[in-house]
């Protein structure tokens, strides 16, 4: 079950770092980091919303799964 915690930590760090890069570099400079910034989200609001809904929905399901497993132990 510690794998779930590592996955959640990586997901939270990734999202945090995207926001941090936007604050430090600005949006246009951050988007130039093509290896890191999700290119398919640029300029398409619907894809952006779908991506983040799935992303945080997955995090929510992993969190609930972890809590359920821990309470049964």
């Amino acid at each position: 079950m510690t794998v779930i915690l590592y996955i959640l930590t990586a997901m939270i760090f990734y999202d945090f770092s995207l926001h941090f890069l936007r604050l430090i570099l600005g949006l246009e400079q951050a988007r130039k980091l093509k290896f890191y910034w999700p290119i398919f989200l640029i300029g398409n609001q619907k894809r952006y919303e779908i991506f983040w809904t799935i992303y945080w929905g997955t995090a929510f399901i992993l969190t609930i799964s972890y809590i359920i497993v821990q309470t049964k132990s």
Side-chain angles (χ1 to χ4, degrees):
M1 289 282 61
T2 58
V3 171
I4 290 177
L5 290 178
Y6 289 123
I7 292 169
L8 288 170
T9 301
M11 290 176 77
I12 292 167
F13 178 75
Y14 174 71
D15 189 41
F16 167 78
S17 61
L18 286 177
H19 292 285
F20 186 72
L21 287 171
R22 276 182 77 171
L23 285 173
I24 300 300
L25 301 175
L27 181 58
E28 293 306 316
Q29 290 293 343
R31 284 182 177 172
K32 290 181 182 178
L33 301 172
K34 303 220 186 280
F35 62 92
Y36 192 70
W37 198 269
I39 305 277
F40 63 91
L41 298 179
I42 297 173
N44 190 325
Q45 190 65 28
K46 186 171 182 173
R47 284 188 195 170
Y48 178 86
E49 293 299 329
I50 291 169
F51 174 79
W52 287 115
T53 302
I54 291 170
Y55 188 89
W56 287 113
T58 302
F60 179 73
I61 290 168
L62 287 173
T63 303
I64 297 300
S65 300
Y66 181 79
I67 291 170
I68 290 170
V69 169
Q70 291 302 311
T71 56
K72 288 184 178 182
S73 299

